[in-house]
Amino acid sequence: MKKTVLAVALSLVAGSAIAADVNQDVSERARESIIDLILSGEEFSVGGQVAVGGEYLEGRKNDKGEDREFHNYDVTGFDLFLNYQKGNVLGQFAGEFDLADNYSSMDASFSVIDAWVGYKTAFGVASIGYAADSALDAVDGAADLTVEYGASASDASDVNQVVKFEGIKEGFKYGVSYYGDREANSEGQKGFNGYVGFQNDSFQVNAGYENNDEDNSKDGIEQIMLVNGVAYFGDFAVGANVAQHENFAGQDSLLVSTSVGYTMDKLYLAAGYANQEAYVSSEADTEWVNFGATYQFTKKTSALVDFKVDLTDDNGSDDLAAFFKLAYDF
């Protein structure tokens, strides 16, 4: 395999989680599919995932106030990835189809996750797109080894109208992105984010920053600063994450989390703890633990479960959430 091909692939996977056994979201699966195409040397590929499952959330009610503790949780549905490369040019379209929370196909939704083109260089991949991961999305959850209910920076995620560059050299990784709109249906929240880090077979460490221009998003976050890392001990790994959030009112919220993961052949076990401060002293901090597992039946078929226990005091929330998913990758 040519070193340049491997370097480009690493540029895209620079901040990914430690184990394929960890439940990947649709953006992570899309990123993995374009990496697979680069490494294969082929020009075009089609992939995705079909999944069934949902979540049990103690005390949950629907919009009508009815008890609906079991719901889809955007699990049952499918996603589709179309990838292309020709010479130094890359491109990807990724979409996600989910049944409604009540499993109705009448109210199902389809979302464009990735739609971008890029150019491979000796230093990384430059891209521009209608929708894509922000740069910080590559590392914001890198230290979360749990299956589903882990913790990462609140705002770092997919964006729209994005220009991005990512790369890695001798273990040192870097990325920066500018976006014109955080959500496709928002009022045009502009911003930028980026990261630097280092990784090898024994550990990885990352530092990132994000700044948003206007107070027109749901969470009202103006800026994020984060540091996280993972240490590997054979089949065992330990991760830790610290993320400072500041809203447009100048109020701060500190997120601290840690997690562990252990792989035994086809079985993966994980546990995590997280605490996030409330922005104001009159509200309770959020605190929880979670325990989960995945099992890889075949190369393409897997089952995932995770259980979350809310430890938050005096917030009136219920204690238990349970996630399960059966997935087939194609």
Side-chain angles (χ1 to χ4, degrees):
M1 180 185 300
K2 294 182 179 180
K3 290 184 178 180
T4 53
V5 173
L6 181 59
V8 170
L10 287 173
S11 296
L12 292 170
V13 76
S16 62
I18 73 125
D21 309 272
V22 176
N23 184 29
Q24 295 177 318
D25 63 26
V26 62
S27 295
E28 292 166 335
R29 293 195 298 273
R31 177 181 287 248
E32 189 174 82
S33 72
I34 190 72
I35 292 167
D36 289 342
L37 177 65
I38 294 170
L39 294 177
S40 73
E42 298 177 358
E43 290 189 3
F44 182 76
S45 68
V46 179
Q49 184 182 90
V50 178
V52 294
E55 180 193 52
Y56 169 84
L57 181 60
E58 188 177 359
R60 178 184 178 272
K61 297 181 182 297
N62 63 15
D63 295 337
K64 299 178 181 180
E66 302 168 329
D67 291 335
R68 292 293 185 271
E69 295 183 322
F70 185 75
H71 63 129
N72 186 33
Y73 193 60
D74 291 338
V75 176
T76 304
F78 69 87
D79 44 55
L80 180 67
F81 313 131
L82 306 177
N83 306 303
Y84 174 80
Q85 68 170 343
K86 182 73 172 179
N88 289 329
V89 177
L90 290 171
Q92 182 176 64
F93 175 86
E96 180 181 27
F97 175 86
D98 294 311
L99 297 183
D101 262 351
N102 63 357
Y103 293 89
S104 168
S105 60
M106 297 296 293
D107 298 316
S109 63
F110 180 81
S111 303
V112 176
I113 304 301
D114 287 281
W116 57 268
V117 293
Y119 188 82
K120 298 179 287 187
T121 75
F123 299 96
V125 177
S127 63
I128 183 170
Y130 163 75
D133 296 343
S134 71
L136 192 57
D137 197 35
V139 301
D140 69 323
D144 176 19
L145 309 180
T146 64
V147 175
E148 175 61 25
Y149 295 118
S152 61
S154 299
D155 209 33
S157 60
D158 300 333
V159 289
N160 293 269
Q161 303 169 22
V162 58
V163 179
K164 180 173 63 170
F165 182 80
E166 288 184 283
I168 184 169
K169 281 288 186 181
E170 303 297 330
F172 291 96
K173 52 189 178 178
Y174 39 84
V176 63
S177 61
Y178 174 84
Y179 43 89
D181 200 346
R182 174 153 292 285
E183 300 289 344
N185 60 352
S186 75
E187 298 177 2
Q189 186 183 45
K190 301 176 178 64
F192 67 90
N193 62 32
Y195 68 88
V196 293
F198 179 81
Q199 69 179 51
N200 57 28
D201 293 337
S202 300
F203 72 93
Q204 69 164 294
V205 61
N206 309 290
Y209 177 76
E210 175 170 297
N211 185 283
N212 295 304
D213 287 348
E214 302 176 34
D215 186 11
N216 57 3
S217 64
K218 292 180 180 179
D219 48 27
I221 294 176
E222 181 176 10
Q223 61 179 349
I224 300 171
M225 293 167 282
L226 67 85
V227 177
N228 61 36
V230 183
Y232 312 106
F233 307 94
D235 293 329
F236 181 74
V238 180
N241 174 67
V242 178
Q244 178 78 10
H245 305 75
E246 181 179 329
N247 63 21
F248 282 90
Q251 300 162 327
D252 295 330
S253 173
L254 181 68
L255 170 67
V256 178
S257 64
T258 185
S259 58
V260 295
Y262 182 67
T263 302
M264 296 183 294
D265 193 21
K266 297 181 179 181
L267 178 66
Y268 177 76
L269 302 174
Y273 167 83
N275 180 289
Q276 181 157 14
E277 295 176 345
Y279 283 100
V280 294
S281 58
S282 60
E283 297 180 1
D285 297 346
T286 305
E287 185 179 20
W288 72 92
V289 294
N290 62 305
F291 309 90
T294 73
Y295 189 80
Q296 198 76 31
F297 295 103
T298 68
K299 185 177 180 180
K300 295 181 178 293
T301 307
S302 59
L304 309 94
V305 295
D306 203 16
F307 300 91
K308 174 182 176 181
V309 180
D310 188 352
L311 305 177
T312 306
D313 294 327
D314 302 326
N315 69 343
S317 68
D318 294 285
D319 293 332
L320 179 65
F323 161 88
F324 76 94
K325 175 181 177 180
L326 181 63
Y328 176 78
D329 297 305
F330 59 89

